[in-house]
Amino acid sequence: MRLSQYFLPVLREVPSEAEIASHKLMLRAGMIRQASAGIYTWLPLGFRVLKKVEGIVREEQDRSGAIELLMPTLQQAELWRESGRYDAYGPEMLRFKDRHEREMLYGPTNEELITQVFRGAAKSYRDLPRILYHIQWKFRDEIRPRFGVMRGREFLMKDAYSFDMSVEAARHSYNRMFVAYLRTFARMGLKSIPMVAETGPIGGDLSHEFIILADTGESQVFCHADLLDTPIPPADVDFGSDLTPHIAPWTRHYAATDDKHDEGRFAAEVPQNKRVSARGVEIGHIFFFGTKYSEPMGCRVQGPDGNMVSVQSGSYGIGVSRLPAAIIEASHDDAGIVWPVPVAPFEVGLVNLKPGDKAADRACEGLYARLEGAGVSVLLDDTQERPGGKFATMDLIGLPFQLIVGPKGLKGGEVEIKDRKSGARTTASPEAAVKRLVGEVRAQRILA
RNA sequence: CGGGGCAUAGCUCAGCCUGGUAGAGCACCUGCUUUGGGAGCAGGGGGCCGGGGGUUCGAAUCCCUCUGCCCCGACCA
């Protein structure tokens, strides 16, 4: 992509509406614009990141054996009356009527809808187990949206729903999502920690919130420091096998959010020098709820013994549109964003310091073609802005690598590579630079 | 929903108290100069001062009202 033909409205100053780093940076880097309170337009640069994040979520869901479908954003009230949630859900559910005066709602979640779909299609124990998921926009009319897309009213969410014959089988489905989540977040460069969460009326230990540590997190969290360096399950993990060996290392140490925190246990189970007390952002939540919806909504299948049984279910959410902000919270500096390669909107920022200069133009066109040819995504700054401004913009939008080309360097047959994260700058011949960048980008695309 | 605040150019803000007909910096356009970490000079474009009503000879400014947005709290993927 050529910057001269792109749509990247960067801001030099911080809009007064923004409070936290990720919100400020997303506005400044031309990733988002607010449409109304808690509702955002994703500008081209932000949209590319959102797509990357969504892609990783999808890959790991698929890898775990979950099956993608797509449910609508609009639902009818009637369905929610079946589960009893239409009246139970508060004013954060957006309700309205269509032209026929039918009561409708913009879905805040999809348990009812998926249960309706599943009960109409699954009749036998042979149709189980299944995990179905979709990635769709949701709306929750939060009293007070804030922090940009971190806590918007409209948000993109991956939600999966599992269907099993027994609680034991459901536990395995739960574990599949547990492992998928660990991999998903690690691939984005995030250190997520599963923390014990409220299980509601079901009880047991089948609910975890996946938290990343960030100073601007909305809740206080407590955990064992070793969890931060626990190994991620490998890409070739067999999801059909017993997954507890992959999960045990993550559940053996203390980890809880403030509402579940037990100071006494924390002190007893975690050595003083291993106690982590920090702010955290919730990026995922997995939850087993048994027959909460299948029972009232009549989602039953016939077992091998001929008896009808209500299916055992769980739901598993990931706040997709919140993740770009969460990643920025975890990865930025004073100059701007520092994208991990797997979610970077472009992998290389190619800076032509002097467009119009024949040598610089020719060199940039060649480098651009060769990098793109090697499958590396490039944003070529071919604008007339001055060098200082170009550097500042590149640092702000946070592309992992900058390839800087100017007449001076070219006289000596050199271009410069800057690593955005370390700030390290090295020179190389154009040929060597391409080779190194292609190698680095490919190596860093896979973080887990 | 309670409490507080804000609304003037694309962004950050001044002007309002004490009414007199629109400002600055950055951004943008033109020219010259400049060109390796947000340059300089000169010229220029852009705002029914959030909407409506009122007071007044006259309202960005005073009064009433509506709307939107932000912050603190309770709530929250």
Side-chain angles (χ1 to χ4, degrees):
Chain A
M1 180 57 66
R2 286 159 209 278
L3 186 54
S4 64
Q5 290 160 46
Y6 202 44
F7 188 70
L8 183 70
V10 299
L11 299 173
R12 194 157 167 177
E13 296 185 71
V14 184
S16 54
E17 70 203 59
E19 190 80 356
I20 64 172
S22 61
H23 190 192
K24 290 177 183 170
L25 289 170
M26 289 181 84
L27 289 167
R28 287 193 55 211
M31 290 179 66
I32 57 168
R33 283 291 182 275
Q34 178 166 301
S36 71
I39 301 176
Y40 292 83
T41 293
W42 290 76
L43 300 179
L45 195 79
F47 190 51
R48 288 181 70 102
V49 174
L50 186 64
K51 287 289 183 190
K52 287 262 182 111
V53 166
E54 184 183 331
I56 291 172
V57 169
R58 177 174 290 113
E59 278 180 30
E60 294 301 327
Q61 287 292 297
D62 292 348
R63 189 198 303 278
S64 79
I67 306 158
E68 186 172 16
L69 49 69
L70 182 61
M71 289 179 273
T73 53
L74 302 186
Q75 306 180 28
Q76 50 178 339
E78 206 49 42
L79 186 61
W80 283 64
R81 291 213 166 87
E82 280 190 46
S83 70
R85 275 167 117 195
Y86 192 69
D87 296 321
Y89 226 95
E92 69 175 24
M93 181 153 78
L94 179 63
R95 306 157 203 251
F96 52 92
K97 287 179 179 169
D98 67 11
R99 67 193 300 165
H100 302 294
E101 293 292 302
R102 284 188 287 245
E103 292 178 282
M104 308 287 291
L105 59 100
Y106 196 116
T109 177
N110 288 56
E111 280 84 3
E112 283 80 0
L113 212 39
I114 195 71
T115 302
Q116 180 189 46
V117 167
F118 199 78
R119 75 178 171 195
K123 296 296 169 194
S124 154
Y125 71 96
R126 297 178 201 277
D127 297 322
L128 302 180
R130 291 289 186 279
I131 299 179
L132 302 175
Y133 78 97
H134 76 339
I135 299 174
Q136 177 63 292
W137 291 91
K138 307 263 188 298
F139 192 90
R140 291 182 193 171
D141 200 356
E142 300 287 344
I143 295 167
R144 188 153 99 82
R146 68 181 116 173
F147 303 151
V149 295
M150 189 77 94
R151 201 176 142 197
R153 294 194 293 169
E154 186 184 53
F155 56 97
L156 186 62
M157 181 176 177
K158 185 286 299 183
D159 41 323
Y161 304 90
S162 63
F163 301 92
D164 284 283
M165 286 297 289
S166 67
V167 175
E168 259 323 293
R171 178 182 288 272
H172 181 251
S173 291
Y174 183 91
N175 288 347
R176 280 161 70 187
M177 286 294 112
F178 196 112
V179 168
Y181 277 35
L182 288 174
R183 290 192 45 78
T184 298
F185 300 132
R187 284 186 57 188
M188 297 171 190
L190 294 172
K191 283 184 184 250
S192 73
I193 303 171
M195 300 198 177
V196 175
E198 289 292 341
T199 50
I202 308 290
D205 57 351
L206 290 182
S207 180
H208 285 87
E209 288 180 14
F210 285 72
I211 302 279
I212 61 162
L213 304 185
D215 294 339
T216 45
E218 66 257 73
S219 51
Q220 189 71 25
V221 299
F222 307 84
C223 70
H224 193 297
D226 288 358
L227 287 169
L228 289 162
D229 296 306
T230 303
I232 302 299
D236 61 356
V237 54
D238 177 4
F239 279 92
S241 69
D242 179 15
L243 295 169
T244 50
H246 295 292
I247 289 170
W250 291 93
T251 53
R252 70 162 158 245
H253 288 308
Y254 186 93
T257 57
D258 49 4
D259 49 330
K260 291 284 283 184
H261 181 55
D262 180 337
E263 190 61 42
R265 269 192 57 205
F266 189 49
E269 295 177 21
V270 184
Q272 178 98 46
N273 64 340
K274 291 285 189 183
R275 282 176 213 156
V276 174
S277 169
R279 303 297 294 179
V281 175
E282 181 183 351
I283 52 178
H285 194 168
I286 58 177
F287 193 84
F288 170 71
F289 50 67
T291 58
K292 179 171 178 183
Y293 302 96
S294 62
E295 196 86 53
M297 295 182 67
C299 182
R300 298 184 298 162
V301 297
Q302 197 166 23
D305 57 3
N307 291 326
M308 298 299 288
V309 296
S310 292
V311 303
Q312 299 285 338
S313 289
S315 63
Y316 314 88
I318 290 179
V320 176
S321 55
R322 159 181 276 200
L323 279 167
I327 293 165
I328 292 171
E329 286 297 325
S331 184
H332 69 273
D333 60 23
D334 290 344
I337 302 166
V338 182
W339 290 116
V341 169
V343 294
F346 295 93
E347 292 161 324
V348 171
L350 175 55
V351 181
N352 185 343
L353 288 176
K354 194 169 183 181
D357 178 275
K358 283 216 171 68
D361 287 351
R362 190 161 357 102
C364 284
E365 288 304 324
L367 290 164
Y368 183 77
R370 290 182 59 187
L371 286 167
E372 286 279 349
V376 172
S377 57
V378 181
L379 180 64
L380 168 60
D381 186 346
D382 56 345
T383 65
Q384 294 298 325
E385 202 181 350
R386 298 171 54 79
K390 295 189 174 194
F391 293 136
T393 297
M394 277 297 166
D395 285 350
L396 172 64
I397 68 175
L399 307 186
F401 300 101
Q402 294 170 21
L403 181 53
I404 300 159
V405 179
K408 284 186 189 172
L410 286 173
K411 273 188 187 134
E414 288 182 331
V415 295
E416 183 178 290
I417 296 174
K418 175 177 168 178
D419 181 290
R420 175 66 181 83
K421 185 176 181 139
S422 69
R425 291 187 286 180
T426 53
T427 55
S429 69
E431 296 72 33
V434 168
K435 200 175 169 193
R436 263 187 48 202
L437 284 173
V438 171
E440 279 287 324
V441 166
R442 284 185 180 159
Q444 291 187 31
R445 272 182 190 154
I446 305 300
L447 288 184

